[in-house]
Amino acid sequence: MGVFVWTAMQIRVDDLAGPEIRALLEEHLRHMHEVSPPQSVHALDIAKLRRPDVTFWTAWSPGELLGCGALRELSPRHGEVKSMRTVAAHRGRGVAAALLEHLITKARRRSYERLSLETGSQPAFAPARRLYQRFGFLGCAPFGDYVEDPNSVFMTLRLPAA
């Protein structure tokens, strides 16, 4: 199956107030708790996604939520990818790749030198790890407030100066 090309996808900053995004984030948190031990769940809830150091985007195709992703500022030169999630009906169709490309572009515009992320080490997270590797993310040591965890994979992407 080939990647679906979204000709009408719109990615926009989201205030997290809509019922569609609330449902997707609830599903995201529920799934994280199903596949990871509680101490290894690092997904942010809606309140934490509204903090001033986080910018949250959603992807839409006319009237339909496709997915979401966020960028958290760890420092003026280091950002973190958070809350990447694609609506189940649209997985494997390029939504996550479009969102990740958007986040990387925003990170470059913010003059970040590095963009990092934490994802799971379990098989359920293999598609996400492949996506990140495809965009050039490499394994790294824990960053920010993270600590070594056998259930976590830490990855980073160096962003050369423009």
Side-chain angles (χ1 to χ4, degrees):
M1 180 167 104
V3 173
F4 185 81
V5 178
W6 292 97
T7 55
M9 181 188 297
Q10 178 190 35
I11 298 175
R12 63 182 188 228
V13 172
D14 196 292
D15 66 3
L16 297 141
E20 303 97 329
I21 192 57
R22 286 178 151 317
L24 182 60
L25 290 171
E26 288 170 7
E27 173 195 314
H28 180 59
L29 285 169
R30 192 170 43 254
H31 183 249
M32 295 302 101
H33 284 280
E34 287 171 2
V35 298
S36 299
Q39 72 276 9
S40 298
V41 174
H42 303 290
L44 301 178
D45 62 21
I46 288 177
K48 290 179 182 171
L49 287 168
R50 285 188 168 140
R51 292 188 332 205
D53 61 338
V54 177
T55 307
F56 186 84
W57 287 273
T58 48
W60 297 82
S61 180
E64 185 177 12
L65 177 64
L66 305 174
C68 63
L71 192 56
R72 179 177 175 209
E73 184 167 298
L74 300 174
S75 78
R77 298 286 179 239
H78 190 188
E80 179 183 10
V81 173
K82 295 296 294 181
S83 300
M84 288 284 295
R85 187 74 174 185
T86 301
V87 172
H90 300 294
R91 289 194 188 123
R93 300 174 76 191
V95 174
L99 279 162
L100 186 57
E101 186 172 358
H102 183 80
L103 296 178
I104 292 169
T105 297
K106 294 297 184 183
R108 284 191 171 113
R109 287 186 185 154
R110 292 180 181 186
S111 299
Y112 291 163
E113 295 170 355
R114 189 166 74 135
L115 186 58
S116 301
L117 61 91
E118 179 277 338
T119 191
S121 62
Q122 301 87 344
F125 296 97
R129 292 191 304 269
R130 284 192 300 273
L131 172 70
Y132 300 133
Q133 289 168 342
R134 199 170 80 221
F135 275 81
F137 283 82
L138 301 172
C140 68
F143 57 90
D145 295 332
Y146 293 106
V147 296
E148 284 292 342
D149 180 346
N151 298 296
S152 290
V153 173
F154 302 98
M155 303 178 85
T156 197
L157 175 67
R158 296 282 176 191
L159 299 172

